[in-house]
Amino acid sequence: MALLKKMRHLHLRILPVTAENRHFLLRTRGFHKHSTCQSLPAVEENVLPGNFSAAAVGKDGPLKTLKDMAGPSTISNIIEFFFRDGFSRIHEIQQQHSQKYGRIFKSRFGPQLVVSIADRDMIAEVLRAEGVAPQRANMESWKEYRDMRGRATGLISAEGEDWLKMRSVLRQQIMRPRDVAVFADDISGVVTDLVARVRALRGRQPDGLTVLNVNDLFFKYAMEGISVVLYEQRLGCLEERIPQLSLEYIAALHLMFSSFKTSMYAGAIPKWLRPLIPKPWEEFCHSWDGLFKFSKVHVDRRLSEIQGQLAAGQEVKGGLLTCLLVTKELTLEEIYANMTEMLLAGVDTTSFTLSWSTYLLALHPQVQQQIYEEVVSTLGPDKVPVSEDLPRLPLIRGLVKETLRLFPVLPGNGRITQKNLAVGGYLIPAGTQLALCHYTTSLDEGSFPNAAQFLPQRWVRKDATDRVDNFGSIPFGYGIRSCVGRRIAELEMHLALTQLIQKFHIQVSPLTEEVRAKTHGLLTPGAPINVRFVDRQ
Ligand code: HEM
């Protein structure tokens, strides 16, 4: 209350969403309450959905039903996933299945039928036909945890009207490059610490050059980087001694990902079986407790700072969190939930991409040299890049795009169809779980000639009319439910890579053999990437 009364004294760096534009979104997009919140009935394969007649005809002739669709049998899936460790090869299995069964195929996982789409144009059709509040997957286990603890859902776990409200608030704060440019100075401060940490770590190795398991370093960078944006404070992750609270968070995050398979089962195992197999659900809840606790501490800290400033009649300045706390467009519980989910979504994604980028640069010294030349001809050898410099570094942007094409952090994404669709000659009923096979489309020769090659140059536009984006590679998703943190992630990666390339020759260490990708929830390096950072001057 006190905050609201004093809002006129505030000077926020970021303008809040107005009630007017939020309601505009709700009104004009024809959003219907509950339209996406239905529980998912098992999809019948041979039934023509309501709004299609039996003689439904697509652009290439009569439409077929899911019953006609090819795909691996349940038995072969069980063997593949449980006996051949398919969970760590989901990206490869995606490719193999699309070669064997076609660009659209079905798989069964117990009662769940999944339709996989490994074709750029079909994916485009699906995403372009999306409604106002698309649903990614069944988030029942996430919601159950939140209900059990009396917590709100955040952007990842929310659906329908709840999601739309939060999305319309957050998207206007962080979705455009110019919105996130205000964070560039703070992130640059984190990059300075990253560079210092590279020097400290390599100094400990016998050759004085190698940073072992570079992902460990980028993890800390990404956590520190996203935290200055989300919590408006430094966490000390790049210091020699990491503060206890941050260490606890890292442990909770590791538990969430290391128990990825068990967490998946937490949602898949029926509730009545939990007393017999309690571990997955217990670990799932335990890691969420840790993640929420961390966000709550940091949000509460900022809230009491703001209250103190207002009580003392001082001006309140701040970024995203300050704005959310002051405008109260989201409840405090929604703020905790969104900070928790954004932090979860924003650390490994960014750190894996940075690890793959440095690995690819090290493997391709000529490409690295080309990018280095662009950086020094634009900035000189020493200038610290600012956000306005980034549009003038197309190869740095191409480097990130090409890394994400070859190693899309999310090798596949999901959608639950909200209406009946005709895709690839098939009728897909509403309520069907779709798997969009981005790994396969990213490596498709039709979309990307010499697809296996690392060519950041392919993303550089020749002129303003030249569009090189295509649905073959959409690492941040597409449309209204795409990654809300995209611009923050890009800013963090562009600023870090520019400085690393400016300062160091990045070389493969003899300690690193070929590193292949494995799926562990996300597409991760399957072995430690050890990289040499050799001073350029
Ligand atoms: C390299 C870095 C990143 C990649 C490749 C990435 C990729 C993605 C993808 C593919 C999705 C799903 C989009 C869809 O379903 O269409 C997503 C969703 C999301 N991402 Fe990211 N992400 C990255 C970094 C971040 C960061 C830094 C944040 C923190 C703000 C973040 C927050 C989110 C959230 C909250 C969602 C859910 C959005 C919603 O459902 O409305 N991501 N991300």
Side-chain angles (χ1 to χ4, degrees), residues 136 155-156 163 167 226 342 345-346 349-350 353 404 409-410 413 415 475-478 481-485 488-489 493:
R136 192 174 296 118
L155 267 195
I156 302 179
W163 172 79
R167 179 82 187 195
I226 191 68
M342 286 197 282
T349 44
T350 309
T353 309
L404 281 166
V409 176
L410 268 82
N413 197 3
R415 283 292 184 268
F476 294 97
Y478 169 85
R481 194 126 205 191
S482 64
C483 177
V484 80
I488 298 171
M493 296 188 290

Side-chain angles (χ1 to χ4, degrees), residues 25-33 35-36 129-135 160 163-164 167 418 480-481:
L25 240 183
L26 289 167
R27 268 198 326 267
T28 53
R29 290 189 170 252
F31 178 77
H32 297 295
K33 208 175 174 197
S35 63
T36 60
E130 280 187 337
V132 63
Q135 194 176 354
W163 172 79
L164 195 54
R167 179 82 187 195
Q418 294 173 325
I480 184 133
R481 194 126 205 191

Side-chain angles (χ1 to χ4, degrees), residues 216 219 249-260 291 348:
D216 188 45
F219 176 94
Y249 177 83
I250 293 173
L253 195 61
H254 282 326
L255 180 64
M256 179 66 91
F257 283 107
S258 66
S259 61
F260 168 70
L291 304 184
D348 287 279

Side-chain angles (χ1 to χ4, degrees), residues 376-426:
V376 286
S377 69
T378 310
L379 300 178
D382 300 315
K383 179 180 182 275
V384 174
V386 294
S387 63
E388 291 76 29
D389 294 322
L390 297 175
R392 297 188 293 128
L393 297 169
L395 276 176
I396 288 285
R397 295 146 66 89
L399 165 63
V400 170
K401 286 185 177 206
E402 186 68 344
T403 304
L404 281 166
R405 182 184 71 79
L406 290 168
F407 298 105
V409 176
L410 268 82
N413 197 3
R415 283 292 184 268
I416 291 172
T417 53
Q418 294 173 325
K419 56 187 179 192
N420 302 326
L421 290 178
V423 185
Y426 291 92

Side-chain angles (χ1 to χ4, degrees), residues 165-468:
K165 179 190 94 170
M166 294 190 283
R167 179 82 187 195
S168 59
V169 172
L170 289 167
R171 70 189 279 272
Q172 303 205 29
Q173 308 264 13
I174 53 175
M175 278 220 67
R176 288 168 304 183
R178 73 164 185 267
D179 298 328
V180 300
V182 291
F183 305 121
D185 285 352
D186 289 338
I187 294 176
S188 280
V190 183
V191 177
T192 303
D193 291 358
L194 171 74
V195 170
R197 197 81 198 127
V198 165
R199 296 202 162 110
L201 290 173
R202 70 180 184 174
R204 288 179 200 164
Q205 293 310 307
D207 64 1
L209 296 173
T210 302
V211 173
L212 295 175
N213 192 9
V214 79
N215 194 64
D216 188 45
L217 175 63
F218 285 135
F219 176 94
K220 289 170 183 153
Y221 167 73
M223 185 160 156
E224 195 72 20
I226 191 68
S227 297
V228 290
V229 174
L230 296 182
Y231 302 126
E232 303 173 20
Q233 70 162 299
R234 297 293 303 263
L235 299 181
C237 293
L238 289 164
E239 283 164 22
E240 189 60 40
R241 283 179 168 273
I242 301 174
Q244 184 58 26
L245 193 61
S246 302
L247 283 177
E248 283 172 23
Y249 177 83
I250 293 173
L253 195 61
H254 282 326
L255 180 64
M256 179 66 91
F257 283 107
S258 66
S259 61
F260 168 70
K261 266 185 256 176
T262 35
S263 318
M264 268 182 43
Y265 303 149
I269 292 174
K271 274 188 209 172
W272 57 266
L273 259 181
R274 276 188 208 152
L276 292 176
I277 317 172
K279 196 176 164 213
W281 181 249
E282 280 169 11
E283 279 194 353
F284 182 73
C285 294
H286 185 62
S287 40
W288 274 120
D289 286 344
L291 304 184
F292 267 95
K293 177 183 158 196
F294 187 78
S295 276
K296 188 168 178 331
V297 168
H298 291 289
V299 172
D300 289 349
R301 185 202 52 81
R302 182 70 195 124
L303 181 59
S304 62
E305 272 173 15
I306 294 173
Q307 283 165 336
Q309 285 166 337
L310 290 173
Q314 293 167 359
E315 276 187 346
V316 173
K317 287 184 184 169
L320 174 65
L321 178 57
T322 304
C323 187
L324 293 175
L325 287 168
V326 167
T327 61
K328 296 192 170 179
E329 291 197 284
L330 300 183
T331 65
L332 193 54
E333 280 300 332
E334 286 169 341
I335 296 175
Y336 292 146
N338 277 294
M339 290 292 151
T340 305
E341 293 189 7
M342 286 197 282
L343 188 62
L344 173 74
V347 179
D348 287 279
T349 44
T350 309
S351 71
F352 290 143
T353 309
L354 284 169
S355 300
W356 286 123
S357 283
T358 40
Y359 182 58
L360 288 164
L361 287 168
L363 288 179
H364 300 90
Q366 284 172 348
V367 176
Q368 187 181 159
Q369 182 61 23
Q370 224 186 338
I371 303 176
Y372 171 72
E373 281 164 19
E374 179 190 89
V375 170
V376 286
S377 69
T378 310
L379 300 178
D382 300 315
K383 179 180 182 275
V384 174
V386 294
S387 63
E388 291 76 29
D389 294 322
L390 297 175
R392 297 188 293 128
L393 297 169
L395 276 176
I396 288 285
R397 295 146 66 89
L399 165 63
V400 170
K401 286 185 177 206
E402 186 68 344
T403 304
L404 281 166
R405 182 184 71 79
L406 290 168
F407 298 105
V409 176
L410 268 82
N413 197 3
R415 283 292 184 268
I416 291 172
T417 53
Q418 294 173 325
K419 56 187 179 192
N420 302 326
L421 290 178
V423 185
Y426 291 92
L427 298 175
I428 315 252
T432 304
Q433 174 76 57
L434 301 181
L436 311 178
C437 302
H438 298 309
Y439 184 77
T440 306
T441 59
S442 297
L443 294 173
D444 187 81
E445 283 289 324
S447 305
F448 302 102
N450 304 315
Q453 281 183 34
F454 170 59
L455 299 171
Q457 183 72 40
R458 74 167 89 231
W459 295 99
V460 177
R461 290 176 180 206
K462 287 167 204 65
D463 56 54
T465 59
D466 179 28
R467 282 201 62 80
V468 284

